[in-house]
Amino acid sequence: MSGFSKRVGDFLRAEWGGVILDVWDGLGLADQKPRVTPKAILQFIHTIPLTLTALALTAGFQAVQQQSWGAGFVSDIGVVRSTLPFWQALLRTPLSLFVPALDLPVWGALLQLVVVFGIAEVTVGRLRTLAVAYAATLAGTSYARYALAVGPHGFLSLPTDVVTGRDTGPSAAVAAVAMYVALRYRAWLTASAVAVFVVGEAVLFPNLAGYEHCAGLAAALIMCWAERRAEARHRSGAPPSRS
């Protein structure tokens, strides 16, 4: 049993050790014991403002859209549909990421945000986290427009009433950010698990959210590939390609 435990420990260190150490260091806990003090709370807020803002916006939109007076307001500023003019969808996209789905428990979205966004913000930085999140959201929105354009019998399409539905929530962004962090840290099993779960869900339960999650993963993969290419060129000193 001790040999098995050692192998498990070695695997966990290889898969997540770098992430855990960087999160611990990023939160300022590497050289001190965790303590709940005003200074520690301020340090925590200063470290993950993007994650905390995302949590506040998601919880706030959920509370407002549950009210009779607030449902229309949230819809007007943050709900995207493939039938909207593209310019209008783009204007709503920044907030649509934080408008939770009506048919899912909001605590699930909040838990995903605090874990995945929190880890990403500390390890790869808030700008990269935000860039991947919005790239995934735009990829998902673009898929819905593609499906509407090609019709229900097109390649990788869905019924029209499905692709014209409400298109909001952080789940596609969360999946993409999780994939991005896993690839950056070469946590191959974690990246594979995310991909299998997302693609498997889309195959077994085909719906707009599942297909948009796949589009989000594709966006994360492309961003990682582009960054690796740029980093390799920088290390080799080769000029950027003009092709």
Side-chain angles (χ1 to χ4, degrees), residues 2-3 8 12 27 37 47 65 68 83 100 103 106 117 120 128 135 139 163 168 192 195 201 205 209-210 215 223 225:
S2 60
V8 171
L12 293 177
L27 293 175
T37 63
T47 304
Q65 72 180 355
S68 59
T83 52
D103 57 342
V106 70
F117 270 45
R128 278 181 174 172
V163 298
T168 64
S192 299
E201 180 188 29
F205 310 102
M223 292 183 75
W225 174 81

Side-chain angles (χ1 to χ4, degrees), residues 101-243:
L102 291 171
D103 57 342
L104 296 174
V106 70
W107 62 264
L110 296 176
L111 182 61
Q112 291 175 3
L113 284 171
V114 74
V115 173
V116 176
F117 270 45
I119 290 173
E121 187 171 3
V122 174
T123 56
V124 300
R126 64 182 61 98
L127 290 181
R128 278 181 174 172
T129 300
L130 199 59
V132 174
Y134 277 122
T137 302
L138 287 172
T141 297
S142 299
Y143 163 76
R145 290 178 175 274
Y146 156 80
L148 182 64
V150 301
H153 303 295
F155 177 67
L156 292 179
S157 189
L158 289 167
T160 301
D161 62 330
V162 174
V163 298
T164 56
R166 176 180 164 124
D167 180 13
T168 64
S171 54
V174 165
V177 169
M179 173 64 77
Y180 180 85
V181 173
L183 291 175
R184 293 290 300 182
Y185 277 84
R186 291 177 168 78
W188 307 122
L189 186 61
T190 301
S192 299
V194 172
V196 168
F197 178 81
V198 169
V199 175
E201 180 188 29
V203 171
L204 294 175
F205 310 102
N207 55 40
L208 181 59
Y211 277 53
E212 288 191 339
H213 295 171
C214 292
L217 286 193
L221 289 170
I222 292 170
M223 292 183 75
C224 268
W225 174 81
E227 285 188 1
R228 290 282 169 82
R229 286 286 303 273
E231 289 169 0
R233 279 201 202 96
H234 180 73
R235 286 194 298 268
S236 65
S241 173
R242 294 186 181 183
S243 60

Side-chain angles (χ1 to χ4, degrees), residues 78-98:
V79 172
V80 173
R81 297 180 189 275
S82 58
T83 52
L84 285 174
F86 191 54
W87 66 267
Q88 193 171 2
L90 287 178
L91 288 177
R92 294 184 182 185
T93 293
L95 292 179
S96 72
L97 196 158
F98 307 110

Side-chain angles (χ1 to χ4, degrees), residues 41-101:
I41 293 173
L42 288 175
Q43 171 70 21
F44 183 77
I45 293 173
H46 177 74
T47 304
I48 55 169
L50 172 63
T51 303
L52 296 177
T53 301
L55 288 172
L57 286 172
T58 303
F61 279 130
Q62 174 67 5
V64 172
Q65 72 180 355
Q66 295 299 320
Q67 311 302 317
S68 59
W69 54 266
F73 170 72
V74 172
S75 179
D76 289 341
I77 68 170
V79 172
V80 173
R81 297 180 189 275
S82 58
T83 52
L84 285 174
F86 191 54
W87 66 267
Q88 193 171 2
L90 287 178
L91 288 177
R92 294 184 182 185
T93 293
L95 292 179
S96 72
L97 196 158
F98 307 110
V99 178

